């Protein structure tokens, strides 16, 4: 029997612009996890048991572009197995689906690792990242690759599409409170919507992306200096541009406002937007008050995570 776990993730800065070649910052969220166990079975076939994502099936009954089937088949073809051994792949997840916490990437990464180890050919990180990226294309259409990178390496990442993945270090640890609107918002839809708008006025959209790119570079410097005050201001500036880009929504804006009014240093949506999660930069002293304000404003749940 083999097991593997993978964390969730949040994007701190740069979502959407990152798809167009601008930088973004993202960090793992270890409070939520996917855990995969692979064991032999006597019944025969490859069985998938994934109650948290409502999946219980025999591999051969799934279409090849079903993301979990695709990731399993990619392990078999990468390690050169044409007759898979009888096994059961059990997937447990505490990461909410379609909410910007990287659930799809975490399932892919944990399956790639646990299954390749079960077959006696554990895959190196670079290969796990590449194969998970291929599956992200089924989830997202045109992903930047940031989700699979953060989840594979489980480290803070300064990410630019097609460039070597760089990590970053916080000069001082800081706290991020994640607030879930509870609205499932598939990233594919918001990424497609942004692409359509970008096509109608590329000059205006590239200018917005470039402003986000500047914010991301400033944010990385602020994180490295441990300047939380500046970091909060940059989150607010990034959220304002995301609003202009139409990827926020009333529920996200309500949570962002509630966070700022209750003492957060900054707040913004995180991920694809139009639902899913927002994040707020908080201090240890005011984290409970901000969490309470988010609950009153309608969050379905909050997660407090430390970066650095
Ligand atoms: O919704 P999430 O957290 O999976 O993030 C998507 C981030 C985007 O920049 C909108 C898309 C991408 O592939 O980078």
């Amino acid at each position: 029997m083999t097991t593997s776990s993978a964390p969730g993730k949040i994007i701190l800065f740069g979502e959407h612009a990152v798809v167009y070649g601008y930088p973004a910052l993202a960090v793992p969220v270890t409070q939520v996890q996917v855990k995969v166990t692979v064991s032999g079975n006597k019944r025969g076939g490859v069985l998938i048991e994934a109650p948290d994502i409502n999946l219980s099936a025999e591999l051969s009954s799934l279409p090849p572009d079903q993301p979990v089937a695709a990731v399993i088949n990619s392990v078999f073809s990468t390690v050169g197995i044409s007759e898979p051994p009888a096994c059961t792949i059990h997937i447990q997840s505490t990461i909410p689906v379609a909410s910007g916490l990287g659930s799809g990437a975490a399932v892919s990464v944990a399956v790639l690792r646990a299954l390749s180890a079960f077959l006696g050919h554990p895959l190196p990180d670079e290969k796990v990242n590449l194969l998970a990226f291929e599956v992200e294309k089924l989830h997202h259409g045109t992903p930047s690759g940031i989700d699979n990178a953060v989840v594979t390496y489980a480290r803070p990442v300064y990410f630019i599409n097609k460039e070597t993945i760089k990590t970053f270090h916080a000069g001082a640890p800081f706290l991020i409170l994640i607030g879930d609107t509870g609205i499932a918002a598939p990233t594919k839809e918001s990424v497609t919507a942004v692409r359509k708008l970008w096509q109608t006025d590329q000059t205006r959209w590239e200018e917005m992306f470039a402003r986000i790119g500047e914010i991301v570079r400033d944010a990385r410097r602020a994180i490295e200096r441990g300047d939380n005050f500046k970091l909060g201001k940059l989150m607010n500036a990034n959220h304002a541009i995301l609003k202009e880009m139409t990827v926020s929504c009333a529920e996200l804006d309500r949570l962002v406002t509630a966070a700022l009014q209750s003492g957060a240093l900054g707040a913004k949506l995180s991920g694809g937007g139009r639902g899913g999660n927002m994040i707020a930069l908080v201090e240890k002293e005011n984290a409970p008050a901000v969490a309470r304000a988010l609950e009153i404003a309608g969050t379905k749940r909050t997660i407090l995570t430390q970066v650095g």
Side-chain angles (χ1 to χ4, degrees), residues 9 11 15-16 18-19 100-101 140 142-144 146-147 187 191 271-272:
K9 71 98 211 3
I11 296 184
E15 46 276 272
H16 287 289
V18 68
V19 176
L101 284 171
H140 288 192
T142 54
S144 62
I146 191 167
D147 280 23
T187 303
V191 168

Side-chain angles (χ1 to χ4, degrees), residues 1-4 36-42 45-47 72 75-76 79 81 83-90 110-123:
M1 186 174 98
T2 53
T3 61
S4 181
V36 172
T37 305
V38 184
S39 51
N41 74 43
K42 293 204 171 65
V46 177
L47 303 178
I72 294 170
V75 176
F76 292 144
V79 305
I81 286 187
E83 299 253 331
C87 60
T88 300
I89 301 169
H90 191 257
V111 168
L112 285 162
R113 289 203 175 120
L115 184 57
S116 63
F118 180 79
L119 298 170
H121 294 275
L123 297 171

Side-chain angles (χ1 to χ4, degrees), residues 18-265:
V18 68
V19 176
Y20 297 79
Y22 295 88
L25 295 172
V27 292
V29 177
T30 50
Q31 286 84 351
V32 285
Q33 295 259 342
V34 167
K35 186 175 171 205
V36 172
T37 305
V38 184
S39 51
N41 74 43
K42 293 204 171 65
R43 182 187 166 281
V46 177
L47 303 178
I48 305 154
E49 295 295 343
D52 303 311
I53 53 173
N54 284 327
L55 181 66
S56 171
E58 160 78 44
L59 176 66
S60 57
S61 72
L62 294 172
D65 61 350
Q66 198 284 345
V68 178
V71 78
I72 294 170
N73 285 321
S74 78
V75 176
F76 292 144
S77 60
T78 303
V79 305
I81 286 187
S82 51
E83 299 253 331
C87 60
T88 300
I89 301 169
H90 191 257
I91 304 171
Q92 272 174 291
S93 176
T94 57
I95 309 179
V97 176
S99 68
L101 284 171
S103 130
V107 168
S108 294
V109 167
V111 168
L112 285 162
R113 289 203 175 120
L115 184 57
S116 63
F118 180 79
L119 298 170
H121 294 275
L123 297 171
D125 286 350
E126 297 68 38
K127 194 74 189 168
V128 168
N129 188 34
L130 271 177
L131 294 176
F133 179 57
E134 289 307 311
V135 181
E136 284 296 283
K137 289 181 191 167
L138 300 173
H139 284 292
H140 288 192
T142 54
S144 62
I146 191 167
D147 280 23
N148 46 284
V150 184
V151 171
T152 299
Y153 294 99
R155 269 188 257 140
V157 159
Y158 177 80
F159 182 91
I160 302 178
N161 203 345
K162 300 199 174 74
E163 289 191 10
T164 320
I165 296 155
K166 298 185 185 78
T167 191
F168 63 91
H169 300 280
F174 60 93
L175 291 173
I176 293 286
L177 188 63
I178 305 167
D180 189 351
T181 60
I183 302 169
T187 303
K188 194 171 187 166
E189 286 173 19
S190 67
V191 168
T192 306
V194 165
R195 186 163 299 276
K196 282 200 183 121
L197 290 164
W198 171 78
Q199 278 159 350
T200 61
D201 189 350
Q202 292 194 16
T203 313
R204 173 164 172 254
W205 281 75
E206 288 293 336
E207 183 270 328
M208 286 192 283
F209 295 152
R211 276 195 278 145
I212 290 179
E214 269 313 301
I215 289 173
V216 174
R217 283 183 278 271
D218 285 351
R220 181 182 174 174
R221 285 189 285 267
I223 290 171
E224 287 171 345
R225 282 200 312 271
D227 185 348
N228 284 355
F229 189 69
K230 173 83 178 172
L231 197 60
K233 293 253 170 295
L234 291 167
M235 285 170 81
N236 298 342
N238 195 163
H239 185 71
I241 304 174
L242 290 164
K243 264 178 92 164
E244 211 178 316
M245 286 164 53
T246 75
V247 292
S248 192
C249 63
E251 292 81 0
L252 280 166
D253 290 340
R254 190 160 57 237
L255 295 183
V256 164
T257 305
L260 295 174
Q261 284 175 349
S262 57
L265 293 172

